[in-house]
Amino acid sequence: MSDTDISLAMRVDDLSLIECVFHAAPVAERTGESRLAITNPDKRFSLDVKNRQNVLRAMVGVQFGIADPSAPAGEQGEHPEFLHFGALVGVVVTSPIMGDAAIAARHMAGSEESAAAQRDKKMEHAMRLEAIKAGYAFATSKLAEMSAMSPMGTVMLPLIDADEILIDIEKNDAR
């Protein structure tokens, strides 16, 4: 662990299913190409001074589909999906306020960006990461539940590297 790691207690206070779509076409021994997209379209950080907590209210979007590569491609060159799942999950993550007394890395003392600003960025990253993990886990269980009732049988979302996904999302946010 480095001097700049954020290792505080993160707590998921709320998970809400905002929107969910599931469509499975009749299947006869079909295999296909899977597609997965994870987004974080909304995030709002706030301070709950009364309870001494950082609060993140975020939405996590998960889109998953299985396309039939043997079917004719559409106008945009994409093969039609015989399974489509989409979920938009609302997540509330809280963490204790670090405050001015929190230890900052010594090597940041002379940097252009203050140690507190660096620490706050790392806190925001850690809270968003927790929101993405919780939202994805919730979407995984919802897909398993819904697909189990379909003729396809239980379908599970693949394992992900949530940190790499968040880094990609943050790069897109910066553009």
Side-chain angles (χ1 to χ4, degrees):
M1 184 158 91
S2 74
D3 290 341
T4 59
D5 284 344
I6 299 294
S7 302
L8 292 178
M10 298 284 169
R11 188 171 80 196
V12 176
D13 285 350
D14 186 47
L15 274 173
S16 305
L17 183 61
I18 297 170
E19 186 176 359
C20 187
V21 176
F22 177 77
H23 174 76
V27 184
E29 303 280 331
R30 289 167 118 175
T31 59
E33 300 171 352
S34 63
R35 304 173 185 156
L36 177 66
I38 300 168
T39 58
N40 182 210
D42 188 30
K43 63 186 181 319
R44 293 189 195 117
F45 292 96
S46 62
L47 222 48
D48 180 355
V49 178
K50 180 181 176 188
N51 294 317
R52 299 199 39 80
Q53 294 179 337
N54 292 298
V55 180
L56 167 63
R57 288 176 174 77
M59 284 196 276
V60 176
V62 177
Q63 296 288 322
F64 177 73
I66 302 177
D68 185 355
S70 64
E75 291 178 13
Q76 297 177 348
E78 291 191 10
H79 298 287
E81 294 179 336
F82 58 85
L83 179 133
H84 178 77
F85 171 76
L88 185 61
V89 181
V91 185
V92 177
V93 177
T94 59
S95 181
I97 292 176
M98 294 179 77
D100 293 333
I103 298 169
R106 285 183 293 245
H107 70 276
M108 287 189 207
S111 71
E112 292 178 23
E113 199 168 9
S114 72
Q118 285 279 350
R119 183 188 63 221
D120 290 347
K121 279 184 181 178
K122 288 201 171 281
M123 174 60 75
E124 288 179 10
H125 179 87
M127 292 179 80
R128 281 181 84 181
L129 182 62
E130 196 65 30
I132 288 172
K133 287 182 196 176
Y136 190 75
F138 187 84
T140 299
S141 65
K142 185 51 81 175
L143 174 60
E145 173 190 345
M146 296 179 87
S147 64
M149 294 184 275
S150 78
M152 289 192 75
T154 304
V155 176
M156 298 292 290
L157 290 174
L159 294 175
I160 61 167
D161 183 347
D163 201 37
E164 285 298 316
I165 289 170
L166 179 56
I167 288 168
D168 288 344
I169 290 171
E170 288 173 337
K171 284 178 185 175
N172 287 334
D173 287 351
R175 290 182 194 169

